[in-house]
Amino acid sequence: MTAAQHALTAQASDAAIDTACRMLRLAHHAGPAADTIARAEREGLSYAGFLAELLLAECEDRDRRRAERRIRAAHFPREKSLREFDYTANPNVDPAVIHSLATCDWITKGYPLCLIGDSGTGKSHLLIGLGTAAAVAGYRVRYTAASSLVNELVEAADDKQLGKTIARYGRVDLLEIDELGYLELDRRGAEMLFQVLTEREEKNSIAIASNEAFTGWSKTFTDPRLCAAVVERLTFNATLIETGTESYRLARTKANKTNGLR
């Protein structure tokens, strides 16, 4: 049989590529492969170069899809990116500090992060943005409001699943708790939350956002010794960012209304 008889027609090649991609569960089916083939022909790529292009494209696509899965698994309430944060509207936030945090070195070391400031000063934005950056970088992230976490822990305890639930929250690389110190917790809920913090202590990172300064947390954790222990665990080796008291959300709304009247 001659070499010509071994060769596939263009149509048969496209069909074979599509079939093989599906069998191998590759994201790049015939369409993307055809684009790469056309570019390879234009640029005169070698067989090895063409194969490298296909494999790199597949790796990039798989990385992207894994990052998307980690972002979904984090349960962020909305999309927020660090690029969207307006540092001019809130000069209390140092962009150099945020850029340093975005490298995720603090997560690798298992250090905490505390964002303290009034409502509307960008705490949740930064929390979600940093969590998203961590998920894209390959870290397992879980976001939750403090009240939701405590409710989940109470329900788990009632179902005799508290240990499993605490262990699950202990395994993620970064646990983000929003609105901590905002609502008063009963002793049972406060103690369960403390167990989650203890499970992660000096092993995996935790990031919190709170409208209350640490001195006001006695309203949330009514037991003074428990309150002191919680604060100690969250501040040891922590980065503390105070976002201030002036709502830039409100300032932006007023500015937009003023511009609309012009």
Side-chain angles (χ1 to χ4, degrees):
M1 188 175 289
T2 66
Q5 289 174 305
H6 278 291
L8 294 173
T9 66
Q11 184 177 4
S13 295
D14 290 342
I17 290 171
D18 185 64
T19 299
C21 286
R22 293 180 189 280
M23 290 179 66
L24 295 171
R25 298 182 181 179
L26 301 179
H28 285 71
H29 295 323
D35 294 339
T36 306
I37 291 168
R39 189 161 65 83
E41 291 174 342
R42 286 196 309 271
E43 298 176 5
L45 290 179
S46 65
Y47 293 131
F50 168 66
L51 180 59
E53 289 280 340
L54 280 181
L55 294 176
L56 287 173
E58 177 63 28
C59 291
E60 289 173 2
D61 189 75
R62 289 191 178 192
D63 284 344
R64 177 186 58 78
R65 286 182 286 139
R66 278 194 291 264
E68 289 174 351
R69 286 195 295 270
R70 287 190 296 269
I71 290 172
R72 287 195 299 271
H75 295 160
F76 297 121
R78 53 196 170 275
E79 291 184 11
K80 291 290 182 181
S81 75
L82 295 177
R83 292 190 304 274
E84 298 168 343
F85 191 82
D86 189 351
Y87 296 99
T88 60
N90 189 348
N92 294 298
V93 179
D94 185 350
V97 173
I98 302 303
H99 294 157
S100 177
L101 291 170
T103 66
C104 300
D105 182 58
W106 61 288
I107 301 175
T108 302
K109 295 176 179 176
Y111 289 169
L113 167 66
C114 300
L115 298 160
I116 308 293
D118 282 5
S119 179
T121 56
K123 301 184 306 299
S124 293
H125 187 145
L126 292 171
L127 203 62
I128 295 170
L130 288 168
T132 300
V136 170
Y139 295 93
R140 296 166 298 172
V141 183
R142 183 68 165 89
Y143 172 100
T144 181
S147 57
S148 298
L149 175 56
V150 171
N151 288 338
E152 183 180 351
L153 293 172
V154 170
E155 291 176 4
D158 291 341
D159 294 336
K160 300 188 183 336
Q161 298 294 315
L162 181 60
K164 289 183 179 179
T165 303
I166 290 175
R168 187 174 72 248
Y169 277 103
R171 283 193 297 269
V172 295
D173 300 307
L174 172 61
L175 174 61
E176 298 190 320
I177 304 178
D178 208 349
E179 301 173 357
L180 187 61
Y182 186 70
L183 297 174
E184 181 178 334
L185 301 176
D186 61 24
R187 184 176 183 85
R188 185 186 184 207
E191 288 177 348
M192 290 179 186
L193 181 56
F194 180 71
Q195 288 182 57
V196 172
L197 302 182
T198 300
E199 178 74 14
R200 302 183 60 79
E201 186 179 9
E202 297 188 48
K203 293 187 296 184
N204 292 319
S205 287
I206 186 163
I208 65 100
S210 178
N211 289 3
E212 283 281 353
F214 294 122
T215 53
W217 280 25
S218 57
K219 291 180 289 185
T220 296
F221 302 97
T222 54
D223 182 320
R225 285 197 285 187
L226 180 60
C227 182
V230 167
V231 171
E232 189 273 332
R233 277 162 174 73
L234 290 175
T235 55
F236 182 68
N237 283 328
T239 298
L240 174 61
I241 299 175
E242 295 181 304
T243 57
T245 58
E246 186 174 346
S247 171
Y248 79 77
R249 261 202 318 250
L250 180 59
R252 183 179 296 174
T253 300
K254 289 180 178 178
N256 289 340
K257 287 182 178 179
T258 301
N259 292 334
L261 293 173
R262 290 177 181 173

